[in-house]
């Protein structure tokens, strides 16, 4: 018979058997140690709020010393790479040394899970930074996202990182929210499709993905970070939950992180309803729930539903929170709580079992494990040519052409004026969770980005199509500085040019250190600083102007649109953003991006997304405010033209459990190759609750040669019409529905009606949430 140690070390045995054998040998302190974490933070960060890379980091003095934290074992090592600039080889060695200390300090030799941010790439010095999540949404291309995530995971794994704190699955509700750039868009189906792709890619490389922020974070009042959320159960079930549910059920995600913002007074970090009943009992999640940084402590200090840190820890653990991040504070005395009768040991055991399961599945408890053995070779290159090529493709496919009055692509004008702050600042291409903006900008010289990047201006000067052009640059204004002195020079440059390209937008940062990003919320949707005044001044010259927006959120363009000759929207396109944008502007690349969020007409009138009921849309006599966007969800032009025709349904009616096949032909009617994102929308004509005018039910990005046609066929299950009914249960309701196929949420010429017949069907757990598509 095997000893207990032989059992939990035996990689051939079932995981649950190994976990049980190890758990049976552990003391209360050793169990509790597996639920804690440690973060080696710079001293200045613990005292200076200007240096925070997590909310209110300076207000927490930190947990116990490293030696104390690891004395009985450790659950997680927090951000060994993404806290200060470290050469990758140096960082890998440092992490391995930390792991050796963790293993030596506990009698079982159990290492910690090393986690890191990875939303737009591995958050480490010198790693490829891919486009921001909002740009993934603009690509409408799940395959690209999955391949990107696989590359990110491979780079993390070879340096010893086990878990990535991505992706963000919050569905955009208010464009003023600073973290819009971190989201995939405002539609739950689009978010869900790309979420499943990302999770499969990252976990396919051997790194656990972490869904965040569960749940409701993006619906905060007035778009303010961490603000309370006032949202009904129907909106949670039908809009907020679906991407999380799909990533759990379809992609088998291995970790979930809570939301900071309370929902109708209920703090997610202490919500048994969310963390246990919904996540585990309804959806079947079996992985670990990890706390957003200091979220457990916030139950005491911010939400004020616990009278102490210790009480906060007990609330969270009983709710279903497994691991406290980024440091062990509220979980520091769990063993004492068990002995005092304040915590049932079975609750502790359940959480520890989940953490040990994750470690076993990652190979950390195999008898031959060592941190160095997990390196998988000597390669520490994080910005390979292959990564760059993929980043370039993603950037190109995410760029959206909004307006083109026969000015694009640029035809080698003799005199070209390039104007605006983002033309020479490559940091504007990167999101707030890129290493450059998140960490490196606080340590490095202004022109040092930690990774090679080409500015928009440089890329235009290098573009073959502009080889004969004289290019003059004028900055005009900064991103936030209110000094307008440079506008005069910009106006002069525009007057002297045949064409002006004006580049404006965001510079991402954290907690007010940028115009977009975590804690960088805005009161309205006017361009930051004096950039609107710059655009206005250039347009007044009468020189044909191409407006280029490099942003993390949509801004109001109504005052400019009808006077601009061209408008290009670029959502934080990553390290290859400059060359990708130049390629689109000069016609080397035909744009194919689509809006994952709407572009507002005026600076107010928010919040509001395309998922609006009839009364949330424009209606004469209801309000003097017109909430309709300037450019709708899913919108995007091309240098070629497309036609969608010939919609056909496989039947005129289906049962409440039936499947309907719907197809249409998409044709490239222009002269050059291109790609069109064909979009399928559903509308419920009459229902027992108020529903959106229409919602995205499926999409497919179709590449076509000039003159080529392809047939796109969607399989629509009756479950795709389901909603949360008046009784609070999900139902498929018989009635009349309309299917639309088109190029955006408003351009939907191809439509056909069908009926669902039979009795109302109440749907149990595990409904059909995807819409398979075949292109032929």
């Amino acid at each position: 018979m095997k000893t207990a140690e032989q059992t939990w070390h035996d990689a051939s045995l079932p995981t649950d058997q190994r976990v049980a054998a190890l758990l049976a040998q552990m003391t209360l302190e050793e169990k509790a140690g597996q639920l804690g974490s440690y973060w080696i933070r710079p001293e200045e960060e613990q005292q200076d709020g200007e240096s925070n890379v997590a909310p209110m980091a300076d207000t927490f003095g930190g947990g116990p010393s490293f030696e104390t934290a690891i004395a009985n074992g450790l659950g997680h090592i927090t951000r060994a790479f993404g806290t200060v600039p470290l050469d990758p080889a140096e960082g890998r060695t440092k992490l391995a040394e930390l792991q050796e200390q963790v293993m030596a300090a506990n009698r079982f030799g159990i290492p910690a899970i090393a986690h890191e941010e990875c939303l737009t790439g591995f958050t480490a010095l010198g790693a490829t930074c891919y486009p921001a999540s909002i740009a993934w949404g603009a690509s409408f291309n799940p395959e690209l996202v999955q391949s990107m995530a696989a590359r990110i995971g491979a780079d993390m794994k070879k340096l010893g990182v086990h878990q990535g704190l991505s992706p963000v699955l919050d569905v955009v509700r208010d464009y003023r929210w600073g973290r819009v750039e971190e989201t995939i868009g405002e539609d739950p189906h689009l978010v869900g499709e790309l979420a499943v792709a990302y999770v499969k890619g990252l976990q396919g490389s051997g790194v656990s993905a972490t869904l965040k922020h569960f749940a409701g974070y993006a619906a905060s009042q007035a778009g303010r970070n961490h603000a309370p959320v006032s949202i009904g159960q129907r909106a949670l079930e039908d809009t907020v939950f679906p991407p999380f549910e799909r990533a759990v059920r379809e992609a088998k995600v291995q970790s979930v992180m809570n939301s900071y913002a309370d929902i109708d007074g209920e703090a997610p970090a202490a919500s048994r309803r969310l963390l246990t009943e919904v996540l585990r009992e309804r959806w079947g999640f079996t992985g670990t729930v990890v706390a957003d940084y200091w979220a457990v402590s916030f139950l005491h200090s911010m939400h004020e539903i616990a009278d102490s840190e210790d009480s906060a820890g007990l609330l969270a653990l009983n709710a279903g929170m497994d691991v406290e991040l980024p440091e062990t504070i509220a979980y520091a005395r769990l063993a004492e709580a068990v002995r005092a009768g304040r915590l049932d040991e079975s609750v502790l055991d359940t959480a520890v079992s989940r953490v040990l399961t994750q470690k076993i599945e990652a190979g950390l408890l195999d008898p031959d494990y060592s941190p160095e053995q997990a390196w998988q070779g000597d390669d520490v290159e994080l910005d390979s040519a292959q990564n760059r090529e993929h980043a370039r493709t993603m950037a190109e496919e995410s760029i959206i052409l909004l307006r083109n009055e026969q000015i694009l692509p640029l035809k080698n004008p003799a005199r070209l004026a390039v104007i605006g702050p983002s033309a020479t600042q490559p940091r504007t291409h990167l999101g707030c969770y890129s290493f450059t903006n998140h960490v490196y900008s606080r340590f490095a010289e202004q022109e040092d980005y930690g990774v090679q990047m080409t500015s928009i201006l440089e890329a235009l000067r290098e573009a073959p199509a502009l080889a004969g052009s004289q290019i003059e640059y004028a900055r005009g204004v900064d991103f936030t500085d209110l000094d307008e002195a440079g506008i005069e020079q910009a106006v002069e440059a525009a007057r002297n040019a045949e064409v002006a390209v004006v580049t404006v937008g965001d510079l991402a940062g954290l907690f007010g250190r940028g115009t977009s990003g975590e804690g960088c919320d805005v009161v309205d949707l006017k361009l930051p600083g004096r950039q609107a005044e710059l655009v206005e001044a250039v347009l007044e010259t009468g020189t044909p102007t191409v407006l280029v927006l490099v942003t993390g959120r949509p801004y109001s363009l109504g005052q400019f649109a009808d006077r601009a000759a061209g408008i290009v929207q670029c959502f934080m396109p990553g390290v290859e953003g400059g060359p990708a944008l130049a390629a689109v502007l000069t016609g080397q690349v035909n744009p194919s991006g689509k809006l994952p969020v709407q572009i507002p007409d005026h600076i107010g009138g928010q919040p509001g997304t395309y998922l609006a009921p009839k009364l949330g849309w424009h209606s004469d006599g209801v309000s003097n405010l017109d909430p309709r966007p300037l450019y709708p969800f899913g919108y995007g032009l091309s240098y070629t033209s497309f036609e969608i025709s010939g919609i056909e349904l496989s039947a005129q009616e289906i049962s409440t459990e039936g499947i309907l096949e719907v197809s249409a032909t998409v044709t490239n009617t222009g002269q050059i190759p291109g790609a069109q994102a064909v979009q399928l929308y559903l509308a419920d004509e009459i229902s027992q609750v108020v529903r959106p005018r229409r919602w995205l039910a499926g999409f497919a990005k179709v590449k076509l040669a000039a003159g080529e046609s392809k047939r796109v066929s969607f399989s629509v299950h009756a479950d795709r019409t389901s909603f949360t009914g008046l009784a609070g249960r999900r139902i498929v309701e018989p009635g009349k529905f309309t299917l639309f196929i088109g190029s955006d949420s408003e351009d939907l010429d191809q439509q056909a009606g069908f009926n669902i017949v039979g009795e109302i069907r109440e749907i149990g757990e595990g409904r059909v949430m995807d819409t398979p598509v075949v292109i032929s």
Side-chain angles (χ1 to χ4, degrees):
M1 179 177 290
K2 293 182 178 180
T3 65
E5 181 172 354
Q6 289 174 325
T7 299
W8 64 261
H9 260 323
D10 188 345
S12 68
L13 293 176
T15 297
D16 58 350
Q17 187 175 338
R18 297 174 66 188
V19 169
L22 179 54
L23 194 65
Q25 296 182 70
M26 300 176 81
T27 65
L28 290 174
E29 284 76 13
E30 289 166 339
K31 293 175 181 178
Q34 293 301 311
L35 307 186
S37 56
Y38 188 80
W39 191 6
I40 301 177
R41 291 194 275 153
E43 290 298 323
E44 65 271 14
E45 182 175 282
Q46 298 183 34
Q47 302 169 6
D48 177 11
E50 292 298 312
S51 300
N52 287 353
V53 295
M56 300 173 65
D58 56 304
T59 66
F60 292 91
S65 67
F66 185 57
E67 291 73 19
T68 301
I70 67 175
N72 293 295
L74 186 68
H76 277 238
I77 291 173
T78 296
R79 304 204 62 183
F81 293 91
T83 302
V84 297
L86 287 174
D87 173 81
E90 178 188 355
R92 183 168 73 169
T93 299
K94 172 190 170 184
L95 177 57
E97 291 171 352
L98 292 174
Q99 289 282 33
E100 295 287 1
Q101 293 178 63
V102 170
M103 295 169 67
N106 72 87
R107 63 193 177 106
F108 302 106
I110 303 173
I113 294 287
H115 75 252
E116 190 50 80
E117 298 285 357
C118 61
L119 189 61
T120 62
F122 182 13
T123 307
L125 180 63
T128 305
C129 183
Y130 298 89
S133 310
I134 194 71
W136 313 348
S139 78
F140 272 69
N141 192 330
E143 291 78 15
L144 274 182
V145 172
Q146 183 165 342
S147 180
M148 173 199 69
R151 292 180 178 281
I152 294 170
D155 285 341
M156 297 172 78
K157 188 172 178 62
K158 68 187 178 186
L159 265 62
V161 178
H162 311 106
Q163 180 167 337
L165 302 188
S166 298
V168 172
L169 302 193
D170 298 297
V171 177
V172 173
R173 303 286 285 180
D174 189 328
Y175 307 137
R176 297 173 296 178
W177 192 48
R179 304 190 81 167
V180 166
E181 63 167 67
E182 297 179 56
T183 74
I184 298 171
E186 66 182 56
D187 180 85
H189 181 69
L190 177 65
V191 176
E193 284 286 305
L194 272 61
V196 168
Y198 183 97
V199 172
K200 286 182 176 180
L202 196 73
Q203 294 189 167
S205 292
V207 173
S208 296
T210 308
L211 310 183
K212 57 188 194 181
H213 308 83
F214 190 65
Y217 189 30
S220 59
Q221 292 175 6
R224 181 176 176 272
N225 197 39
H226 289 210
V229 171
S230 299
I231 191 171
Q233 188 62 26
R234 186 165 291 104
L236 277 175
E237 293 283 352
D238 295 353
T239 303
V240 174
F241 283 173
F244 291 94
E245 183 175 359
R246 290 193 64 187
V248 170
R249 293 187 187 276
E250 298 175 32
K252 309 299 181 187
V253 74
Q254 292 164 348
S255 191
V256 172
M257 177 181 280
N258 71 284
S259 162
Y260 285 124
D262 72 85
I263 303 173
D264 192 26
E266 184 178 12
S271 173
R272 182 171 179 80
R273 178 176 69 93
L274 286 174
L275 303 186
T276 297
E277 293 172 11
V278 173
L279 193 57
R280 297 189 185 280
E281 294 173 4
R282 283 179 50 187
W283 298 349
F285 176 65
T286 59
T288 59
V289 175
V290 300
D292 206 344
Y293 287 11
W294 294 294
V296 179
S297 292
F298 284 173
L299 298 176
H300 167 55
S301 62
M302 300 299 290
H303 295 299
E304 296 185 335
I305 63 171
D307 61 6
S308 66
E309 295 277 10
D310 290 354
S311 297
L314 297 182
L315 277 177
L317 190 63
N318 277 297
M321 180 75 72
D322 298 315
V323 180
E324 182 184 15
L325 299 181
E327 299 165 314
T328 309
I329 299 175
Y331 277 15
R333 285 167 286 279
L334 294 180
E336 297 171 25
V338 173
R339 290 195 177 94
R342 298 193 305 276
L343 175 64
D344 191 317
E345 187 173 359
S346 66
V347 174
L348 179 66
D349 286 354
T350 297
V352 175
S353 294
R354 293 169 184 151
V355 174
L356 293 178
T357 296
Q358 183 180 10
K359 291 185 176 184
I360 286 173
E361 291 176 347
L364 302 187
L365 298 189
D366 291 352
D368 61 346
Y369 173 80
S370 72
E372 293 81 3
Q373 175 265 338
W375 286 354
Q376 299 182 340
D378 296 327
D379 177 27
V380 294
E381 172 60 55
L382 302 178
D383 192 29
S384 67
Q386 294 79 11
N387 283 5
R388 281 281 179 159
E389 182 180 358
H390 194 74
R392 174 71 175 267
T393 300
M394 290 196 69
E396 291 172 350
E397 290 211 18
S398 71
I399 294 172
I400 308 158
L401 179 62
L402 297 179
R403 179 177 172 87
N404 189 17
E405 297 299 302
Q406 298 183 327
I407 195 170
L408 294 174
L410 295 173
K411 305 294 195 302
N412 196 14
R415 299 182 309 281
L416 176 67
V418 178
I419 296 165
S422 53
T424 57
Q425 176 50 279
R427 279 182 55 204
T428 194
H429 305 170
L430 310 179
C432 81
Y433 269 81
S434 66
F435 186 83
T436 300
N437 287 333
H438 200 71
V439 178
Y440 200 62
S441 60
R442 296 182 290 111
F443 293 89
E445 297 295 327
Q446 188 172 0
E447 301 303 318
D448 182 2
Y449 310 117
V451 64
Q452 192 277 325
M453 286 194 287
T454 301
S455 73
I456 297 169
L457 178 62
E458 291 170 331
L460 287 172
R461 284 178 168 160
E462 294 169 3
L466 300 179
S469 297
Q470 176 185 335
I471 300 177
E472 180 181 355
Y473 173 67
R475 186 174 182 82
V477 297
D478 206 338
F479 294 97
T480 55
D481 193 328
L482 301 183
D483 184 1
E484 299 181 2
I487 292 181
E488 183 178 347
Q489 180 189 1
V491 166
E492 185 65 20
R495 284 188 179 133
N496 292 333
E498 294 177 47
V499 175
V501 173
V502 181
T503 65
V504 293
D506 284 316
L507 184 60
L510 290 165
F511 313 116
R513 299 198 299 271
T515 64
S516 174
E518 185 173 0
C520 297
D521 314 311
V522 294
V523 296
D524 60 38
L525 299 172
K526 179 183 178 182
L527 286 167
R530 291 288 188 261
Q531 293 181 89
E533 287 79 356
L534 173 65
V535 175
E536 184 68 41
V538 173
L539 290 173
E540 283 293 321
T541 66
T543 299
T545 298
V546 177
L547 178 58
V548 176
L549 299 115
V550 186
T551 69
R553 65 163 63 81
Y555 285 102
S556 166
L557 302 180
Q559 71 181 99
F560 313 126
D562 61 353
R563 291 177 292 151
I567 303 177
V568 174
Q569 174 67 58
C570 189
F571 287 113
M572 293 180 173
V575 289
E576 288 291 315
L581 192 50
V584 167
L585 290 174
T586 59
Q588 182 182 344
V589 168
N590 190 357
S592 62
K594 296 285 188 175
L595 286 174
V597 288
Q598 300 181 121
I599 299 294
D601 189 352
H602 49 83
I603 65 172
Q606 72 284 344
T609 69
Y610 96 99
L611 288 174
K614 189 172 183 178
L615 279 174
W617 206 244
H618 179 62
S619 180
D620 289 335
V622 170
S623 170
N624 62 310
L625 297 180
D626 186 348
R628 289 176 296 184
L630 181 64
Y631 298 109
F633 174 83
Y635 180 84
L637 302 175
S638 170
Y639 293 150
T640 189
S641 55
F642 299 97
E643 179 182 289
I644 299 174
S645 62
I647 187 170
E648 291 183 356
L649 305 185
S650 61
Q652 295 303 307
E653 63 180 37
I654 60 171
S655 72
T656 56
E657 297 182 87
I659 299 175
L660 184 71
E661 302 293 333
V662 54
S663 60
T665 298
V666 56
T667 302
N668 181 346
T669 56
Q671 303 301 311
I672 61 172
Q676 174 71 302
V678 178
Q679 300 163 45
L680 172 72
Y681 292 85
L682 265 167
D684 191 344
E685 300 301 327
I686 299 292
S687 60
Q688 62 179 254
V689 301
V690 178
R691 306 200 66 189
R693 295 165 59 242
R694 62 184 64 106
W695 63 93
L696 184 70
F699 63 88
K701 195 163 191 177
V702 184
K703 295 183 179 180
L704 297 164
E708 184 181 12
S709 296
K710 290 183 180 178
R711 194 74 177 167
V712 183
S713 300
F714 299 94
S715 295
V716 182
H717 194 283
D719 285 4
R720 301 293 285 116
T721 71
S722 69
F723 60 94
T724 303
L726 287 172
R729 294 185 291 273
R730 179 164 295 279
I731 60 173
V732 173
E733 185 179 45
K736 183 179 180 181
F737 295 82
T738 302
L739 280 163
F740 305 87
I741 296 181
S743 57
D744 62 62
S745 60
E746 299 303 312
D747 184 8
L748 298 167
D749 289 339
Q750 294 295 301
Q751 57 183 280
F754 71 98
N755 292 304
I756 293 181
V757 298
E759 299 297 318
I760 290 177
R761 179 169 69 92
E762 186 173 317
I763 301 180
E765 294 300 327
R767 71 187 185 279
V768 175
M769 301 184 74
D770 66 335
T771 302
V773 59
V774 174
I775 301 170
S776 58

